[in-house]
Amino acid sequence: MKKFFTNLFIFMVTLTAPAFGNTYIRFEISFKEPQAHYAEIKMEVSGLKKDFIDVKMPVWTPGSYLVREYAKHVEGVAAHDASGNSLEVGKINKNTWRVASGKSDRVVINYRIYGFEVSVRTNFIDDSHAFLSPAATFLYVDGMLDHPAEISVVPHPAWSSVSTGLEPVAGKPNTFEAADFDLLFDSPIEVGNQDIITFEAAGVHHEIAMVGGGNYNKERLIRDCSTIVEECTRVFGVNPNKRYVFIVHNYQSGGGGLEHLNSTVLGASRNGYQNERSYVGFLGLVAHEYFHLWHVKRLRPIELGPFNYDTENYTRSLWIMEGFTAYFDNLILRRSGFLTESAYLQALVNDVNAVENRAGNRIQSAAQASFDAWIKYYRPDENSANTSVSYYNKGALLALILDLRILEATNGTKRLDDVLKAAYQTFYVEKKRGFREPELQQLMEEVAGTSLADIFQAAHTTEPIDYNRYLNAVGYELVDYHEDRNIPELGFATSVNDGRIMVSAVSRGTGAWDGGINVRDEVIAINGERLDAGGKELNRVMQTAAVGDVLQVLVSRDGRLRELTITLRQETKGAFNIMPLSGATEEQERLGNIWLSQPQQ
């Protein structure tokens, strides 16, 4: 990491609203101590002339359904008027400050923010660059989310580039504008020495801001990202953007992504671009987040916008938004030629494993998982696998069977692509609002020409899905190699910590669950035989065990020895595979070819 220069790094943001009466808002952000991960912010509010002004910090950012309490990183809030006279500031709740403005025409508010969390949804500031997640950076005036914004960036001389999806203002270098704070909060900003790669695809200008270096090949990156852009655009038939920005943070080991209206932030491994598996995984992330520019950012459940930045914004439809996107990201890779047929089917198998081998799939529905994302998905614990299911994986499988059902019902003339294209036109373009789930179901049924009620019901229940009902129609089948095999299941997983074998998970419905094995138990011996740290003895026990065998397990729990009795039960987890259906008809094979092949240009 380069040694930080002594010059003051000032990042100035100006938010003005010439068409919003006489009011405007201006921010000036300076990085006096970037090595300590701080930014100093001056916020100027003019033209309100009120007794007091309430300014607020969002508690979450759209696309990441967790209250993150960004206000916890705000400190030193103070204010003065145009003459420099101090104004009283009081915090009235966790994310709101009240400024006694006394009808002043101009109020200046100063505060600091701390940012040192590596993620796609939080601020990160150090001596090499600044990544600003706007919801974690900018206060807004209560009741003025619809205020226009102008943002001017003055980089430090040692930093040369500004990357953001905000629209540039003509004639003003490094100056951008936003129609309102919703757009501002949806437009992350990267300032530093990022490598900026540009390309044109689907009639849209694209920029890739590569932060942190990496062993990427620019020509290949342009070619492959262009292909993904074209394939995603083909699904919806139109690309609504003029410009789109990928901000890619390259770390020693990185991942994750967050969608925005005309940009995205991705995490990647800087040395993973020359590894084919890692690179295809990165392309899958590109496909996923790019698909979201239609599916979430524009076509969305009615509950997700306009946003309330003070609290959770609940919806039961994340299985549609994230799940469908998780289905299409791999399908886009298949259509683009980045996944072979077998690799694509394996990706589907991975989703089946993630859902069907998770006990929580029988406890929580996909719709419930969507609603409880705020308290469960982003806050997993040792029992999460027993109580919850991922709306990503389960939603992807529901999208799969919807796609296959539509293919079957229309003799291959329609599929899920056509539904999303119609929904985008109906709700985003024509009605200019989000959809209600029954409305989307009705539209899907109109496209398919058949009822899809059973699949939508499956999203709201924990009943098993008959995957082969849908896969067989296109000439494939899901097989479970563990079916009808009398395989014993231990029921708990272990990890080695300082040479000790520690229980890391216990599966619901197993002998270990009933026998009282706990997470954080140290497993010392089984049936009187001490276990080695490498787990060889444990493996030997299971290799010779049978369903119904009784194990005496000696554990240390909180420093005390306990012997627990476990009766081994039959394996509850499947060993799945998707393969061609033996004896498939020509019609089944034809539909299968449509499903797995690239659509007609």
Side-chain angles (χ1 to χ4, degrees):
M1 188 175 292
K2 295 181 179 178
K3 184 177 180 180
F4 188 69
F5 30 80
T6 57
N7 297 22
L8 176 66
F9 173 12
I10 295 181
F11 171 15
M12 181 174 293
V13 180
T14 305
L15 303 183
T16 65
F20 202 89
N22 295 318
T23 63
Y24 66 92
I25 303 170
R26 175 176 298 152
F27 288 88
E28 179 181 290
I29 305 181
S30 61
F31 295 86
K32 295 179 181 179
E33 297 181 295
Q35 83 290 345
H37 322 296
Y38 272 95
E40 282 68 41
I41 304 176
K42 182 173 74 174
M43 177 184 186
E44 183 178 336
V45 182
S46 298
L48 288 184
K49 298 181 180 180
K50 297 174 65 176
D51 290 332
F52 64 86
I53 299 172
D54 287 345
V55 291
K56 305 172 73 69
M57 178 69 77
V59 304
W60 70 290
T61 190
S64 182
Y65 306 102
L66 176 68
V67 171
R68 295 184 182 275
E69 309 292 19
Y70 292 126
K72 68 184 178 183
H73 291 312
V74 176
E75 61 183 73
V77 181
H80 63 265
D81 62 17
S83 301
N85 300 312
S86 295
L87 300 174
E88 182 180 351
V89 179
K91 195 171 186 182
I92 61 175
N93 59 41
K94 66 178 181 179
N95 66 317
T96 307
W97 292 261
R98 176 162 292 176
V99 180
S101 50
K103 291 186 168 49
S104 296
D105 181 65
R106 177 172 174 265
V107 175
V108 178
I109 304 166
N110 294 283
Y111 61 98
R112 306 181 81 201
I113 58 170
Y114 177 82
F116 194 54
E117 181 179 348
V118 175
S119 84
V120 296
R121 60 191 71 86
T122 51
N123 289 335
F124 184 92
I125 305 162
D126 69 3
D127 60 0
S128 66
H129 77 112
F131 170 69
L132 299 178
S133 176
T137 302
F138 299 108
L139 296 175
Y140 67 94
V141 178
D142 190 20
M144 295 181 66
L145 283 171
D146 56 350
H147 198 290
E150 182 176 283
I151 305 97
S152 297
V153 181
V154 182
H156 186 280
W159 293 0
S160 60
S161 300
V162 177
S163 299
T164 179
L166 291 168
E167 190 69 19
V169 176
K172 296 184 179 181
N174 294 329
T175 303
F176 310 90
E177 61 185 357
D180 51 44
F181 272 73
D182 285 320
L183 181 57
L184 178 60
F185 290 149
D186 203 26
S187 303
I189 301 170
E190 174 69 35
V191 186
N193 296 315
Q194 58 269 30
D195 183 13
I196 298 178
I197 305 167
T198 63
F199 65 94
E200 306 291 324
V204 177
H205 178 74
H206 291 79
E207 301 172 15
I208 307 176
M210 300 295 278
V211 183
N215 63 352
Y216 50 89
N217 179 296
K218 291 185 182 181
E219 289 72 23
R220 186 184 185 190
L221 204 60
I222 289 173
R223 181 180 67 250
D224 295 345
C225 287
S226 296
T227 300
I228 289 171
V229 166
E230 296 286 356
E231 288 297 338
C232 287
T233 303
R234 187 172 290 112
V235 173
F236 292 91
V238 62
N239 195 311
N241 289 319
K242 295 180 180 179
R243 188 171 67 94
Y244 190 92
V245 178
F246 298 92
I247 298 174
V248 184
H249 290 147
N250 294 294
Y251 305 106
Q252 182 176 7
S253 178
L258 186 61
E259 70 275 3
H260 298 281
L261 194 70
N262 65 341
S263 64
T264 186
V265 186
L266 310 176
S269 298
R270 67 170 62 95
N271 294 317
Y273 294 95
Q274 298 303 316
N275 177 284
E276 197 63 23
R277 181 175 180 180
S278 174
Y279 180 64
V280 171
F282 172 74
L283 293 180
L285 181 61
V286 170
H288 185 98
E289 301 305 336
Y290 199 82
F291 199 84
H292 271 319
L293 79 84
W294 294 273
H295 195 67
V296 164
K297 300 313 299 182
R298 290 172 173 85
L299 174 61
R300 58 173 176 78
I302 201 165
E303 302 92 350
L304 294 185
F307 295 115
N308 181 344
Y309 294 101
D310 279 343
T311 188
E312 297 87 348
N313 290 223
Y314 293 104
T315 179
R316 287 182 168 82
S317 297
L318 291 181
W319 68 273
I320 298 173
M321 308 320 298
E322 292 294 352
F324 284 25
T325 306
Y327 172 66
F328 270 97
D329 57 24
N330 284 320
L331 194 59
I332 293 295
L333 294 187
R334 168 60 187 155
R335 293 174 180 177
S336 301
F338 300 124
L339 289 179
T340 63
E341 179 179 313
S342 61
Y344 173 68
L345 293 177
Q346 183 57 52
L348 289 178
V349 169
N350 293 342
D351 284 327
V352 175
N353 283 326
V355 171
E356 297 303 321
N357 288 337
R358 188 177 178 98
N361 183 42
R362 297 292 174 258
I363 302 298
Q364 184 186 55
S365 70
Q368 289 171 331
S370 302
F371 192 85
D372 279 342
W374 299 90
I375 60 174
K376 287 183 178 288
Y377 185 78
Y378 289 97
R379 292 173 173 167
D381 59 27
E382 68 278 357
N383 198 40
S384 292
N386 292 313
T387 62
S388 63
V389 69
S390 167
Y391 49 79
Y392 283 85
N393 303 120
K394 186 70 172 283
L397 294 176
L398 290 164
L400 164 68
I401 62 178
L402 279 167
D403 197 13
L404 301 185
R405 168 68 75 82
I406 295 168
L407 276 167
E408 178 189 20
T410 63
N411 294 318
T413 62
K414 301 289 184 182
R415 58 182 311 179
L416 193 54
D417 302 53
D418 300 280
V419 168
L420 296 187
K421 183 185 298 184
Y424 178 83
Q425 178 66 30
T426 298
F427 297 107
Y428 176 71
V429 177
E430 296 174 6
K431 296 186 177 181
K432 295 179 172 50
R433 63 168 175 82
F435 63 81
R436 297 175 177 85
E437 193 171 303
E439 292 178 311
L440 184 65
Q441 179 183 338
Q442 180 180 355
L443 185 147
M444 284 190 174
E445 291 176 341
E446 290 172 357
V447 172
T450 188
S451 173
L452 302 172
D454 57 331
I455 300 178
F456 274 83
Q457 183 181 6
H460 291 264
T461 72
T462 59
E463 294 301 312
I465 295 174
D466 181 5
Y467 298 100
N468 282 330
R469 156 69 183 85
Y470 310 96
L471 284 167
N472 289 174
V474 296
Y476 287 85
E477 65 176 336
L478 177 71
V479 296
D480 178 4
Y481 296 123
H482 282 177
E483 189 175 17
D484 299 326
R485 292 185 61 187
N486 206 26
I487 302 173
E489 181 178 18
L490 182 60
F492 65 88
T494 62
S495 61
V496 178
N497 184 3
D498 293 331
R500 299 183 301 162
I501 301 176
M502 307 299 296
V503 176
S504 56
V506 181
S507 297
R508 182 189 294 269
T510 64
W513 175 279
D514 290 343
I517 296 289
N518 285 188
V519 169
R520 292 184 291 277
D521 282 350
E522 177 189 358
V523 185
I524 298 174
I526 293 182
N527 291 343
E529 298 287 337
R530 184 173 180 83
L531 300 184
D532 61 293
K536 292 181 181 179
E537 182 62 24
L538 184 58
N539 291 335
R540 185 196 65 76
V541 169
M542 292 309 298
Q543 287 172 359
T544 59
V547 174
D549 283 358
V550 177
L551 304 183
Q552 300 298 325
V553 182
L554 181 65
V555 304
S556 174
R557 181 179 300 168
D558 192 30
R560 292 183 174 180
L561 296 179
R562 295 188 61 176
E563 188 168 63
L564 304 172
T565 300
I566 295 179
T567 301
L568 296 181
R569 293 183 179 174
Q570 185 170 338
E571 176 69 71
T572 59
K573 294 180 172 60
F576 297 103
N577 195 16
I578 296 176
M579 54 198 307
L581 178 66
S582 177
T585 66
E586 289 185 5
E587 176 62 13
Q588 289 171 320
E589 291 180 352
R590 184 182 72 86
L591 292 178
N593 288 333
I594 295 173
W595 171 42
L596 295 178
S597 298
Q598 182 173 321
Q600 294 295 318
Q601 302 295 321

